[in-house]
Amino acid sequence: MAAAGTQILVKRYLSQSFYQTYEIRFQEDITVLDALNCIKAEQDPTLTYRWSCRMGICGSCAAVVNGKPVLMCQTYLGNLKQPVKIEPLRNFPVIKDLVVEIDDAFEKMRSVNPYMEHMKKKALEEGEYEQTPAQLEKLKQTSQCIKCMLCYSACPVYGFDKNFIGPAAGALAYRYNADNRDESKKERLDTVIGEKGVWNCSFVGECSNACPKRVDPALALQRLKLMGSLRLVTSLQ
Amino acid sequence: MEIIESDILIVGGGGAGLRAAIAAAEKNPKLKIAIVSKVYPVRSHTVSAEGGIAGVLPNETSANDGDSLEQHAFDTIRGSDFLADQDAVEFFVKEAPREIIQMEHWGCPWSREENGKVAVRAFGGMSVKRTVFAADKTGFYMLHTLFERTLKYANIRRFDEWFVLKLLRDDARVTGLIAMDLRRGIIAAFKAKAVLLATGGAGKIYSFTTNANIKTGDGMALAYEIGVPLKDMEFVQFHPTGLPRTGILITEGARGEGGYLLNKNGERFMKNYLPTKMELGPRDIISRAIMSEIKAGRGFEGPHGAYVHLDIRHLGEKLIDEKLPLVREVAKDFEGVDPVHEPIPVRPVAHYFMGGVATNLRAETSLSGLFAAGETACVTINGANRLGSNSLAECLVFGRVAGEMVAEYAENNSVAINLSKDEIAQEEARIKKFLSHEGSERVAVLRESMQKTMEEHAGIEREKSSIQAGLEKIIELRKRAENIGLVDHSPIFNTEFVSALELKNMLLVAEAVLRSALNREESRGSHMRSDFPNRDDERFLKHLTLRQAQGDTSMVTTEHPVTITKWQPQERKY
């Protein structure tokens, strides 16, 4: 495999922001994350970014690469237009270089009560709640969210209004409301149909395009709108 | 310096840490529980666990009839090459089913049979199907279910992206810790009645590993440095099937569902090593078989080393997408191979630490108030070789026990804790000095050298002179690490600083692995000595522990008997 050379532009933020250019030679099969690890080890130990599993499941290495929010560990340098430009996720405050503060998105997730409630609790000795493969299928797509927050970076509504609960929190609410075993659906729905909730979603679908796990939060938000409408109608009767 | 008070401190937010936090919160809603983690909990390495979680579900709920706790215990003990403590194993297999059902009650989406019951799959070294799974993302689903559950409890407070620098103790017991808030770049002391270490293993001491970047043995080093012994450190598991370029794990579930291992002649070579089990043997035996095939010239040569094939094509696209979606995803994304159409190149890869912080059945260490659980700990249920799908169950069983125990300890110990102001000031000064230190050694250089050393001298096959040479190199690296100079002097999110401290933790663990490997002059489970090819129960049916010598930094070895309850050690036959 032939090595090629390229320039990598990283948007850095130390006390102020600036773009720094690094030159590297690389093999076709290296990822953007591999490239940053190389730069950090060999050229510039101050370059700062998060990473961990390097297999697309922990959600640490989110960044905007050539304008698109991606996980750097599964984005190959050879497939990108060069020079490659790497920037921090949008819509979050930057702490240092590519590291952003995402606590707000985690708090949005907390706000939808993402845990199962049962009206009549089974004792552990009574075994599991039943769920057929068909019932499991209903929550499968939204349950794949790894909380990488790429969708918040892509979401124009969240960019404009930080009160909007946003795509991943919506998908998480849907995941529990789509679960046949859960019995707190009404309460959870109330958390997402208020003024900060799903109605603000303009369904541009950027979140779903950005999702590395094909969760389709935009679809989840539309379904929550439908569930919310039904709840409003039934509560008026 | 800021002093943060809580009743319980949990270091680490993976499977064991979060399970413990929930157990403590449920036991007593008045306790102040703090989780201190160097990453957001959902980034913890539990997320990468794939194949499943073992436990004998009661017959009326499980698809599997005819299994028993006794059988799960014996499989585990035989898998451990008779080094597991049998009282721990008996307790573990009894508690595992409850934990699996508990996870289900909390919403974990276990894969199901058509009738709605929890499904099970076959796993290596398990004599019947008893591994519960959520497709092949079992750890991911467990971790996120646990994390989401913690959001329910008002008395659990998280300190995400705080790096623990040091544990604190007085003469009698643990009193807290000192940690750095990576985002704000400040150091704070945490005061608590009880501390639980749940920081996972240390796979990153090797260069070729399934482990995530964060697996640097922090909890093991923290415990050791405060005088608590490490146990069974020579036993490092090499998983048979890692992708050759990256070391990314391909789950044992792929073989559990019926996958084949093939050499370059297209032979299912396991028939020559373990004909009764074939691809479903325990990991130590299969990894050695693959290495033998490669040595004999029957492997494939590739740009990232020799490998064999894992073939799941005959399982068909439907089953693969339903039960092994992550295998397909990672093989395509990280090896450029679609397993529906091509065999997957694989080779053995450093995966798991059977050893760790010595604990008893109640997750207690030798220091009062200090507990450990999960891969950080060594109870020991895994002995010389862990069976696949026992580790997730271990995280839950002993995470829950640890959570209840720290809660109880905190309730019963209300003595006023005084942190030593001098000690805190000293630590703060040490860190400030280190941040501005202009030493000549670089973190990346030393780390690479350590990883290369461990690959070469502490791999699947070991031998006295090689271990000794490795040990000398690691001791030299530990000296050089004292002269690390940072290029990044900023206190804010300084990942070079964190890497330097992680490297020091890893070097300590690496030395422990080599020392114990040198002392164990026999072959047992994952520890294969070419100069002592047989198991030697007379001399080595015992655990080796290492602790820091009084007054200097040398490692002292002591020996502890293996607890035998029902199963007398016998030849490990399958």
Side-chain angles (χ1 to χ4, degrees):
Chain A
M1 213 174 287
T6 191
Q7 288 186 330
I8 295 194
L9 265 71
V10 182
K11 187 175 185 184
R12 304 203 56 188
Y13 177 83
L14 296 170
S15 48
Q16 55 187 359
S17 73
F18 60 98
Y19 283 89
Q20 184 158 352
T21 304
Y22 298 98
E23 310 251 349
I24 65 158
R25 294 195 63 73
F26 70 99
Q27 306 285 328
E28 283 281 303
D29 64 351
I30 80 159
T31 64
V32 173
L33 175 63
D34 293 331
L36 291 191
N37 283 342
C38 225
I39 292 167
K40 188 165 178 77
E42 290 164 18
Q43 298 183 35
D44 184 359
T46 70
L47 181 62
T48 303
Y49 48 96
R50 294 186 179 107
W51 74 285
S52 188
C53 79
R54 54 76 174 96
M55 56 183 283
I57 193 85
C58 82
S60 301
C61 65
V64 175
V65 175
N66 283 356
K68 197 172 172 262
V70 295
L71 294 178
M72 294 191 287
C73 72
Q74 52 185 36
T75 303
Y76 284 86
L77 222 47
N79 298 336
L80 295 172
K81 201 174 151 237
Q82 320 224 342
V84 176
K85 194 163 152 192
I86 309 174
E87 297 163 305
L89 288 189
R90 299 187 191 108
N91 300 338
F92 294 110
V94 178
I95 295 169
K96 182 173 176 180
D97 294 352
L98 301 175
V99 176
V100 294
E101 168 80 56
I102 53 176
D103 281 359
D104 182 53
F106 275 105
E107 283 310 305
K108 299 276 192 298
M109 291 185 169
R110 182 200 292 273
S111 75
V112 304
N113 303 344
Y115 31 81
M116 187 132 310
E117 301 281 8
H118 304 287
M119 308 292 257
K120 224 182 113 198
K121 270 191 194 162
K122 268 185 168 182
L124 293 179
E125 293 70 31
E126 293 174 74
E128 73 263 53
Y129 295 87
E130 285 180 9
Q131 182 167 60
T132 64
Q135 287 170 321
L136 178 59
E137 191 61 33
K138 289 188 176 154
L139 57 104
K140 190 168 156 190
Q141 189 175 24
T142 44
S143 72
Q144 315 255 350
C145 171
I146 61 172
K147 304 180 175 61
C148 64
M149 313 304 180
L150 290 181
C151 55
Y152 281 84
S153 177
C155 176
V157 181
Y158 181 70
F160 178 72
D161 176 10
K162 293 288 181 293
N163 288 317
F164 173 48
I165 63 158
L172 188 58
Y174 182 82
R175 174 254 173 272
Y176 279 94
N177 270 28
D179 195 317
N180 64 292
R181 299 168 295 173
D182 176 71
E183 293 175 307
S184 58
K185 295 182 172 50
K186 284 181 187 165
E187 294 76 6
R188 190 172 301 106
L189 207 47
D190 287 341
T191 69
V192 298
I193 56 178
E195 57 184 284
K196 298 165 186 172
V198 293
W199 299 109
N200 290 328
C201 168
S202 55
F203 200 32
V204 286
E206 289 298 327
C207 53
S208 297
N209 290 335
C211 180
K213 294 288 159 187
R214 299 182 204 92
V215 167
D216 204 348
L219 181 62
L221 287 166
Q222 298 319 300
R223 285 177 168 162
L224 285 170
K225 282 183 190 173
L226 185 63
M227 289 174 174
S229 307
L230 289 171
R231 170 142 170 75
L232 284 175
V233 170
T234 46
S235 68
L236 289 173
Q237 282 170 352
Chain B
M1 187 192 293
E2 196 178 345
I3 294 185
I4 298 163
E5 288 196 43
S6 58
D7 295 302
I8 295 166
L9 284 171
I10 296 171
V11 185
L18 296 183
R19 181 66 189 86
I22 296 170
E26 291 206 322
K27 188 164 190 298
N28 185 343
K30 287 191 184 131
L31 288 174
K32 285 162 81 176
I33 301 160
I35 302 173
V36 183
S37 168
K38 65 178 176 179
V39 291
Y40 282 99
V42 289
R43 314 290 183 232
S44 306
H45 191 54
T46 302
V47 84
S48 297
E50 298 174 4
I53 172 167
V56 182
L57 296 185
N59 281 342
E60 60 271 25
T61 59
S62 166
N64 170 48
D65 291 327
D67 198 3
S68 67
L69 297 179
E70 187 104 342
Q71 193 57 46
H72 187 191
F74 180 66
D75 287 346
T76 301
I77 289 161
R78 180 167 58 169
S80 82
D81 218 345
F82 294 90
L83 196 73
D85 285 314
Q86 298 183 3
D87 55 344
V89 174
E90 288 187 73
F91 174 78
F92 162 73
V93 299
K94 185 164 76 61
E95 295 298 316
R98 283 176 67 85
E99 287 299 321
I100 292 170
I101 297 298
Q102 178 64 81
M103 285 302 297
E104 195 281 332
H105 285 196
W106 287 338
C108 190
W110 299 136
S111 294
R112 303 282 176 151
E113 302 290 345
E114 279 307 321
N115 65 5
K117 302 284 186 191
V118 170
V120 285
R121 67 164 42 129
F123 239 69
M126 301 283 184
S127 52
V128 296
K129 288 184 184 180
R130 65 165 74 93
T131 297
V132 172
F133 57 100
D136 57 355
K137 300 185 180 182
T138 309
F140 159 78
Y141 279 117
M142 279 178 46
L143 184 66
H144 282 252
T145 302
L146 287 168
F147 175 75
E148 287 153 17
R149 190 80 193 169
T150 61
L151 300 177
K152 184 179 160 71
Y153 303 95
N155 58 330
I156 298 177
R157 183 173 171 202
R158 293 205 323 268
F159 293 83
D160 296 337
E161 300 190 315
W162 283 68
F163 188 84
V164 177
L165 303 165
K166 186 180 190 185
L167 295 179
L168 299 172
R169 63 173 293 174
D170 59 22
D171 290 342
R173 56 202 176 97
V174 76
T175 53
L177 54 83
I178 300 177
M180 185 183 224
D181 178 351
L182 300 179
R183 294 182 213 160
R184 289 189 296 158
I186 58 133
I187 293 169
F190 287 72
K191 188 163 142 177
K193 294 167 187 159
V195 178
L196 168 64
L197 297 171
T199 62
K204 287 299 280 187
I205 63 173
Y206 292 88
S207 48
F208 189 62
T209 173
T210 60
N211 282 197
N213 186 44
I214 55 176
K215 295 283 298 285
T216 54
D218 303 336
M220 297 176 191
L222 288 168
Y224 178 86
E225 283 175 340
I226 202 173
V228 170
L230 304 178
K231 182 166 142 199
D232 289 349
M233 292 301 284
E234 63 274 39
F235 299 107
V236 179
Q237 178 162 80
F238 289 81
H239 194 290
T241 59
L243 294 177
R245 186 177 72 82
T246 54
I248 289 171
L249 174 71
I250 297 295
T251 174
E252 189 165 308
R255 285 172 282 130
E257 295 295 340
Y260 300 147
L261 288 169
L262 303 172
N263 63 20
K264 77 171 182 192
N265 304 325
E267 268 181 309
R268 284 179 71 187
F269 55 84
M270 283 313 298
K271 68 176 191 281
N272 302 323
Y273 300 88
L274 203 62
T276 56
K277 289 273 176 187
M278 295 298 285
E279 285 86 356
L280 287 175
R283 290 174 178 173
D284 54 338
I285 294 175
I286 294 190
S287 284
R288 280 197 293 273
I290 294 174
M291 294 318 288
S292 299
E293 289 299 297
I294 288 172
K295 260 192 187 166
R298 292 190 290 272
F300 300 85
E301 289 303 324
H304 306 284
Y307 60 86
V308 296
H309 274 159
L310 171 62
D311 194 348
I312 60 170
R313 287 175 296 181
H314 55 286
L315 304 180
E317 187 166 9
K318 186 172 173 291
L319 184 142
I320 291 170
D321 283 345
E322 198 179 300
K323 292 187 167 169
L324 302 166
L326 189 64
V327 168
R328 191 173 188 191
E329 221 173 280
V330 298
K332 275 161 83 171
D333 284 354
F334 300 103
E335 198 66 34
V337 166
D338 183 349
V340 170
H341 305 295
E342 302 155 89
I344 311 165
V346 290
R347 70 180 168 101
V349 54
H351 182 57
Y352 182 87
F353 270 72
M354 270 69 77
V357 179
T359 63
N360 62 18
L361 276 178
R362 294 178 299 279
E364 294 164 315
T365 70
S366 63
L367 178 63
S368 184
L370 183 67
F371 299 77
E375 194 180 347
T376 318
C378 181
V379 180
T380 155
I381 62 160
N382 301 311
N385 173 64
R386 173 175 71 81
L387 293 188
S389 74
N390 267 352
S391 66
L392 286 176
E394 180 180 4
C395 282
L396 295 181
V397 168
F398 291 99
R400 198 255 300 152
V401 167
E404 289 173 358
M405 288 300 299
V406 285
E408 195 180 308
Y409 189 94
E411 285 163 353
N412 296 339
N413 288 274
S414 49
V415 215
I417 297 166
N418 291 311
L419 297 185
S420 151
K421 289 210 173 92
D422 287 351
E423 191 178 5
I424 294 169
Q426 267 173 24
E427 183 65 8
E428 196 169 21
R430 182 181 79 94
I431 295 303
K432 280 193 177 145
K433 192 176 156 207
F434 185 45
L435 269 170
S436 58
H437 189 225
E438 303 276 351
S440 59
E441 299 288 356
R442 289 289 169 265
V443 178
V445 174
L446 299 187
R447 186 174 53 213
E448 196 184 333
S449 187
M450 169 195 66
Q451 290 171 336
K452 223 177 118 204
T453 303
M454 294 308 282
E455 291 287 341
E456 208 177 312
H457 301 281
I460 293 180
E461 195 178 310
R462 302 160 175 190
E463 179 273 322
K464 185 176 181 181
S465 61
S466 163
I467 300 170
Q468 252 164 351
L471 186 55
E472 279 160 30
K473 287 184 195 173
I474 293 296
I475 290 169
E476 176 65 23
L477 287 170
R478 288 192 76 180
K479 278 191 202 135
R480 287 174 63 189
E482 290 308 308
N483 195 29
I484 286 175
L486 300 181
V487 179
D488 191 345
H489 299 300
S490 155
I492 306 293
F493 222 98
N494 189 332
T495 51
E496 192 196 19
F497 164 79
V498 171
S499 302
L501 297 180
E502 288 174 334
L503 174 66
K504 290 185 179 188
N505 290 341
M506 287 192 284
L507 283 167
L508 189 160
V509 171
E511 183 179 338
V513 169
L514 287 161
R515 281 204 188 278
S516 293
L518 190 62
N519 289 340
R520 186 171 286 278
E521 295 179 327
E522 65 158 355
S523 290
R524 184 188 298 269
S526 67
H527 176 69
M528 162 74 186
R529 286 278 299 256
S530 57
D531 45 350
F532 295 94
N534 299 315
R535 197 175 90 191
D536 183 351
D537 282 351
E538 211 163 294
R539 288 179 66 208
F540 289 104
L541 183 62
K542 62 192 177 192
H543 303 288
L544 303 179
T545 64
L546 291 164
R547 74 162 76 228
Q548 196 160 2
Q550 295 275 330
D552 64 48
T553 56
S554 59
M555 288 184 174
V556 182
T557 301
T558 49
E559 297 173 357
H560 298 272
V562 174
T563 307
I564 309 278
T565 56
K566 292 185 198 162
W567 297 274
Q568 282 310 310
Q570 49 179 257
E571 193 191 338
R572 188 174 171 220
K573 276 196 297 214
Y574 285 96

